[in-house]
Amino acid sequence: MKRHTARCLSSLFLLVSILSSCGDTTPTEQSITDSVTTAETTPQTESILQANLPDTDWGGRTFMVLGRDCEAYNQFDNFEIYAEKEIGEVVNDAIYRRNTIIEDAYNVKIKQTLYDMPHTELQKSASSGDHLYDLAFVELCYIGPCIQNGYFYDLNQVDYIDFSKPWWNPDVNETITMGDKLYATTSDFSLRDKNRAYIILYNPGLAERNDIPDIIETVRSGKWTSDLMLSYVKMFSGDLDGDGKTGGEFDSFGLAMDSYESFAAFSFGMGIQTTSKDNNGNLIITLNSERASNIVDRVMDLTCETSYALFCDDFYGKTVEDHWGTSGRAFYSERTLFMTGFPHSLQSASEKAEFDYGVIPFPKYDESQDKYYTFADKFCMLMGVPVTSAEPEFSGFMLEALSAASTTTSLPAYYDISCKTKYAYNESTGEMLDLIFDGIQYDLSMIYSLGKVTEILRVDLPKKKENTFVSLCEKYQKSADTALDKLITAIGELEH
């Protein structure tokens, strides 16, 4: 967390200098610019091009990146790849400046091709053998088959990529590596993994009026645990609609959740693991363990008692047409203390909340847990180099250059300014996001659909609200082991 915080804070000063020549800035952006009196008025090219890459002229060739464009919900879009021009919006302009500096330094052009279902476009390209893309972003729920079918190069074998550098995430790489092969990853270049990392929003005023101690200080002290959160959540069960019952759409709750996925988010936040490696380094299914069972017990208590906890999915097709908005309506009308969400929802929260809200990580299982963990949901994205890339070393060169340059440009633009300042009401939100992003967790069984073990946490338990965890694990264990064996064999037989 300290490494990540220091890197982002130091990058803010460089970012301000990059953005200071933008045409129109919002009052928030301008106030930041004014406060940094030492900022230069021109980009510090040497600081941005910090990757240890040779001075190479690529002859004007185009680096083409495949990503997603979701017409219905723009929170699923790739927005970190390319910007056509400066438009006075801080993230867009940081991306434009970053790309321009890289293009000028190495004589390249950076372009993107966005589709609603990029994994199908990757499949078409692989089937035809067409050299269309040098890098591809694919969502977690679709990338597993792409890897197993051999659509990506092993990144450990791609020239110029240096995973020892701080713009890569070693925890993510360790989780996703199978054997000695790594086919997809994330870096400071990718913002979609941060955009879809689970967070908790809370109402500090409501907490104070109910004599709840400062939650931010509790998080700082490392004492933000599931037991403590449960004690607070239970305080807010109430019959507000006057029907004599609690748990209705317009009653009060301690916790409102966007979907059943939140059950998995709390589980992973408490350190649950569906897979792990044995003493010999072999990958095994480990969901059915005593510790996992204890974690599920805690999550059931916290999320599945309908008198004080609300899942949006429980109202699907029943009382509201827009069931996804159920948790938001409860939170913005101050009928709930906590609400699960994502960083991209902070903009909407700032528009809708008429009170100062805060952001905190998911609670630990207990105080002995080493850090706060964050669940990356199935629509988070990873990136890899397609086997149809005409020259994989060019892909590696550009991926390293973009990842390094993003550390001081697009990442702090999104992270330090958009999340911390533009959409957040207080400085502590930035501190909390440091903790949240530092603990992003990926679930290998979800990436590769290993016998539906992740469905236990994402659907089965929260939907039925009955603790059948052990029996479900036993039910899925054999198929999960079979799927894992096939996966290990498939990965081992890949040529690239």
Side-chain angles (χ1 to χ4, degrees):
M1 188 272 287
K2 292 180 180 178
R3 176 187 67 81
H4 189 81
T5 303
R7 187 176 74 220
C8 287
L9 291 179
S10 64
S11 300
L12 178 59
F13 291 92
L14 177 61
L15 176 67
V16 169
S17 70
I18 294 172
L19 297 173
S20 60
S21 61
C22 293
D24 297 323
T25 57
T26 68
T28 299
E29 294 157 15
Q30 190 61 56
S31 66
I32 293 173
T33 302
D34 292 342
S35 69
V36 186
T37 57
T38 59
E40 299 290 338
T41 58
T42 57
Q44 301 292 323
T45 300
E46 296 80 6
S47 298
I48 293 175
L49 299 174
Q50 57 183 315
N52 186 25
L53 294 169
D55 185 11
T56 305
D57 185 331
W58 288 100
R61 68 185 297 177
T62 298
F63 180 67
M64 185 60 72
V65 184
L66 173 65
R68 188 178 186 197
D69 177 20
C70 181
E71 184 176 347
Y73 303 102
N74 61 13
Q75 66 264 32
F76 300 123
D77 292 349
N78 281 106
F79 59 95
E80 68 270 58
I81 302 169
Y82 171 81
E84 184 177 359
K85 60 182 180 180
E86 293 177 334
I87 59 174
E89 197 281 320
V90 68
V91 177
N92 175 92
D93 292 359
I95 293 169
Y96 177 81
R97 297 295 185 87
R98 176 202 68 196
N99 287 4
T100 298
I101 290 172
I102 291 175
E103 289 174 341
D104 291 344
Y106 302 119
N107 191 15
V108 296
K109 292 294 181 183
I110 300 170
K111 296 294 181 183
Q112 66 181 11
T113 301
L114 305 180
Y115 291 95
D116 184 48
M117 304 291 277
H119 64 284
T120 62
E121 297 302 320
L122 182 65
Q123 180 182 11
K124 292 177 183 178
S125 174
S127 298
S128 65
D130 294 335
H131 304 306
L132 300 179
Y133 310 110
D134 302 293
L135 185 74
F137 283 85
V138 178
E139 288 165 318
L140 251 63
C141 53
Y142 298 119
I143 200 168
C146 293
I147 293 173
Q148 287 179 269
N149 290 328
Y151 297 163
F152 290 109
Y153 279 107
D154 175 10
L155 295 173
N156 290 320
Q157 305 302 317
V158 176
D159 290 343
Y160 299 115
I161 295 177
D162 185 353
F163 285 127
S164 69
K165 297 299 184 181
W167 40 85
W168 300 101
N169 190 321
D171 293 336
V172 172
N173 287 348
E174 181 180 359
T175 298
I176 302 175
T177 294
M178 297 194 61
D180 58 353
K181 297 179 179 181
L182 177 65
Y183 289 97
T185 189
T186 184
S187 73
D188 288 353
F189 172 44
S190 175
L191 297 179
R192 279 283 274 103
D193 60 330
K194 288 81 174 172
N195 213 32
R196 293 295 296 182
Y198 261 99
I199 62 175
I200 296 177
L201 283 72
Y202 83 105
N203 186 329
L206 193 58
E208 184 177 359
R209 293 194 293 273
N210 287 270
D211 298 321
I212 292 176
D214 187 350
I215 297 176
I216 295 295
E217 286 298 330
T218 302
V219 173
R220 286 173 178 151
S221 68
K223 297 180 179 180
W224 179 233
T225 65
S226 57
D227 281 344
L228 185 60
M229 183 175 182
L230 177 60
S231 69
Y232 297 159
V233 167
K234 286 182 176 180
M235 297 169 59
F236 290 86
S237 173
D239 174 24
L240 295 186
D241 59 12
D243 65 356
K245 299 181 294 183
T246 58
E249 180 195 350
F250 299 103
D251 288 330
S252 61
F253 303 86
L255 172 62
M257 294 163 284
D258 65 304
S259 71
Y260 293 147
E261 298 275 346
S262 293
F263 190 101
F266 278 104
S267 300
F268 281 91
M270 296 182 204
I272 208 167
Q273 292 181 313
T274 60
T275 61
S276 62
K277 295 177 181 177
D278 62 19
N279 294 332
N280 297 319
N282 300 314
L283 195 65
I284 56 175
I285 303 293
T286 54
L287 183 59
N288 192 8
S289 67
E290 182 178 358
R291 176 171 175 78
S293 182
N294 292 336
I295 290 173
V296 167
D297 286 342
R298 296 274 183 92
V299 179
M300 291 290 299
D301 289 342
L302 183 60
T303 66
C304 291
E305 173 50 62
T306 57
S307 65
Y308 55 72
L310 173 154
F311 282 111
C312 283
D313 286 336
D314 287 342
F315 293 91
Y316 182 77
K318 293 182 179 180
T319 61
V320 290
E321 204 171 298
D322 178 18
H323 75 286
W324 297 116
T326 307
S327 61
R329 283 188 288 273
F331 185 69
Y332 301 129
S333 61
E334 300 198 72
R335 291 186 289 106
T336 186
L337 179 61
F338 301 108
M339 178 179 71
T340 62
F342 300 94
H344 66 70
S345 63
L346 292 179
Q347 181 180 13
S348 176
S350 294
E351 294 170 351
K352 295 178 180 179
E354 297 182 359
F355 54 88
D356 288 359
Y357 65 87
V359 174
I360 54 175
F362 278 69
K364 297 179 178 180
Y365 177 75
D366 56 32
E367 292 183 31
S368 67
Q369 187 171 310
D370 63 337
K371 66 195 298 186
Y372 296 103
Y373 296 128
T374 305
F375 181 59
D377 89 327
K378 64 181 180 180
F379 295 117
C380 175
M381 280 186 145
L382 295 173
M383 57 188 177
V385 176
V387 293
T388 54
S389 173
E391 193 173 349
E393 55 266 33
F394 173 60
S395 297
F397 185 101
M398 291 299 297
L399 182 53
E400 185 74 10
L402 282 163
S403 297
S406 296
T407 301
T408 51
T409 55
S410 54
L411 176 64
Y414 173 75
Y415 184 82
D416 287 290
I417 293 180
S418 292
C419 282
K420 292 184 179 180
T421 306
K422 189 174 181 180
Y423 301 149
Y425 283 97
N426 52 68
E427 294 180 1
S428 64
T429 299
E431 180 186 353
M432 295 298 103
L433 287 170
D434 285 337
L435 292 170
I436 291 167
F437 291 156
D438 185 57
I440 293 178
Q441 300 288 298
Y442 289 85
D443 176 27
L444 204 64
S445 64
M446 181 168 64
I447 294 174
Y448 291 105
S449 300
L450 300 179
K452 297 184 178 181
V453 292
T454 308
E455 300 300 304
I456 297 173
L457 304 175
R458 294 178 49 245
V459 179
D460 295 337
L461 294 178
K463 184 175 183 179
K464 295 181 179 179
K465 297 177 178 55
E466 297 177 4
N467 195 347
T468 55
F469 175 71
V470 174
S471 62
L472 286 171
C473 285
E474 292 173 350
K475 176 182 178 180
Y476 293 139
Q477 183 73 44
K478 184 176 181 180
S479 61
D481 288 338
T482 300
L484 180 58
D485 289 342
K486 290 182 178 179
L487 171 63
I488 293 173
T489 299
I491 296 295
E493 293 176 348
L494 293 177
E495 297 180 0
H496 301 288

